[in-house]
Amino acid sequence: MPFKMGVLLIHGMGNQERGYAAPMIEELKGRVRRKGGDDHQIAFQEVWWAPVLADKEETLLRNMADGNDLEWMPLRRFVMHSLADAIAYQDTNRPPTSPDQINVYRQVHRRIGEAVRTLRERIRAGADPAAPEVPLVVIAHSLGCHMISNYIWDVRDSDKPQSTGNPFEDFQTLAGIVMFGCNIPLFTLAYTSLQPIRFPTPNLKAYFPKGTPAKDIENAAQWINLYDPDDVLGYPLRSLDPKFAKAVTKDVAVDAGPLLRAWNPLSHTEYWTDDDVTRPTAELIHGVLKLL
């Protein structure tokens, strides 16, 4: 059965393992089925960028601890694999000054590009070559929200877009965004003016069946931002700027995680399979799918 849509998932801070998105994907599939949708028509693909920094961070922490009496090692490991990711992820716009230097921004974006390309190849493998590209939904957590936003800006929305030459891989078919534990607001301090990625996506109707009412597409295409008020790394987006208020459909406060974690900063790691997250995410996916 040909896929009718794609879903791209990207993780945030921390030393994530390959397959990190599997539990959420299975839960989303089940919720879509219970709504009457066919989850076999949805192609899911995770972006796994953690290896860009994971080994370097572990080596750095080990070297710092060797021969030194460092306390709070579990907390230090959390900081190393979380905040260090955000520090390292920046585009210097300069070529490396030595063979050992890496541009983490570009390395991460290479991983995103590879995942999107893989997702499209899976979708096209079972499709009519003449069929149009399919709608795409993005699910992003934490620092991954900032990363995917930057990637879309670079390939589609900048003054000089670094286009791949394909509408799907350029996110021209972007029909939905779900962010949770989003820390985009923290990165806006580096800018004098704010400009979110374009959403709803221009000319999105071209990737839905001919005759689909424009109002139905408008209602289905949503950018939802979920945040736990106890999560010090997750923030609302609409209050950032009038442009964000126009682009983001809604900010929703949720209570992520079990009792022992939901009330404190550890909630930042608990979004992925929480009902308050998977329910609206599945509703968004199903809303797009039923129009296809």
Side-chain angles (χ1 to χ4, degrees), residues 80-151:
M80 185 64 71
H81 286 295
S82 298
L83 301 186
D85 288 342
I87 294 169
Y89 174 72
Q90 52 184 311
D91 191 1
T92 62
N93 289 317
R94 298 192 304 271
T97 56
S98 76
D100 295 329
Q101 183 179 349
I102 65 171
N103 187 314
V104 173
Y105 184 97
R106 296 180 190 180
Q107 292 279 358
V108 168
H109 284 210
R110 186 174 296 118
R111 293 267 180 161
I112 295 173
E114 290 170 353
V116 180
R117 186 161 51 253
T118 297
L119 177 57
R120 179 177 181 269
E121 288 171 354
R122 290 174 52 214
I123 292 170
R124 301 303 294 184
D128 180 343
E133 300 294 335
V134 303
L136 171 66
V137 170
V138 165
I139 300 173
H141 174 232
S142 182
L143 181 59
C145 302
H146 182 53
M147 290 173 167
I148 198 66
S149 177
N150 283 342
Y151 185 87

Side-chain angles (χ1 to χ4, degrees), residues 4 139 158-159 239 243 252:
K4 291 188 173 182
I139 300 173
S158 71
D159 293 337
S239 54
K243 294 174 184 175
V252 181

Side-chain angles (χ1 to χ4, degrees), residues 33-240:
R33 286 196 301 271
R34 290 193 290 275
K35 288 180 173 295
D38 186 348
D39 62 289
H40 294 97
Q41 297 176 334
I42 309 167
F44 291 87
Q45 180 71 39
E46 67 178 26
V47 178
W48 187 43
W49 59 263
V52 173
L53 286 169
D55 289 346
K56 292 176 68 66
E57 290 170 344
E58 275 298 321
T59 299
L60 177 59
L61 183 61
R62 186 167 55 250
N63 289 344
M64 293 301 97
D66 187 23
N68 299 304
D69 188 20
L70 295 183
E71 301 290 346
W72 300 96
M73 287 305 293
L75 182 58
R76 288 178 186 274
R77 179 163 278 104
F78 171 79
V79 170
M80 185 64 71
H81 286 295
S82 298
L83 301 186
D85 288 342
I87 294 169
Y89 174 72
Q90 52 184 311
D91 191 1
T92 62
N93 289 317
R94 298 192 304 271
T97 56
S98 76
D100 295 329
Q101 183 179 349
I102 65 171
N103 187 314
V104 173
Y105 184 97
R106 296 180 190 180
Q107 292 279 358
V108 168
H109 284 210
R110 186 174 296 118
R111 293 267 180 161
I112 295 173
E114 290 170 353
V116 180
R117 186 161 51 253
T118 297
L119 177 57
R120 179 177 181 269
E121 288 171 354
R122 290 174 52 214
I123 292 170
R124 301 303 294 184
D128 180 343
E133 300 294 335
V134 303
L136 171 66
V137 170
V138 165
I139 300 173
H141 174 232
S142 182
L143 181 59
C145 302
H146 182 53
M147 290 173 167
I148 198 66
S149 177
N150 283 342
Y151 185 87
I152 294 171
W153 182 268
D154 288 351
V155 300
R156 194 193 70 183
D157 293 346
S158 71
D159 293 337
K160 296 180 180 179
Q162 302 163 21
S163 173
T164 67
N166 176 265
F168 185 87
E169 294 181 42
D170 283 352
F171 290 78
Q172 302 287 355
T173 76
L174 184 62
I177 305 172
V178 178
M179 293 182 171
F180 43 89
C182 175
N183 36 56
I184 285 177
L186 301 180
F187 296 94
T188 63
L189 296 172
Y191 299 90
T192 55
S193 63
L194 304 185
Q195 182 65 54
I197 57 173
R198 288 179 294 165
F199 196 86
T201 310
N203 200 34
L204 183 58
K205 65 180 181 180
Y207 306 104
F208 283 81
K210 187 175 295 185
T212 304
K215 191 65 176 178
D216 289 352
I217 297 174
E218 180 183 337
N219 290 337
Q222 298 184 39
W223 179 349
I224 301 173
N225 179 55
L226 309 168
Y227 69 98
D228 190 319
D230 293 311
D231 173 16
V232 297
L233 294 174
Y235 293 88
L237 286 175
R238 287 174 53 85
S239 54
L240 259 179

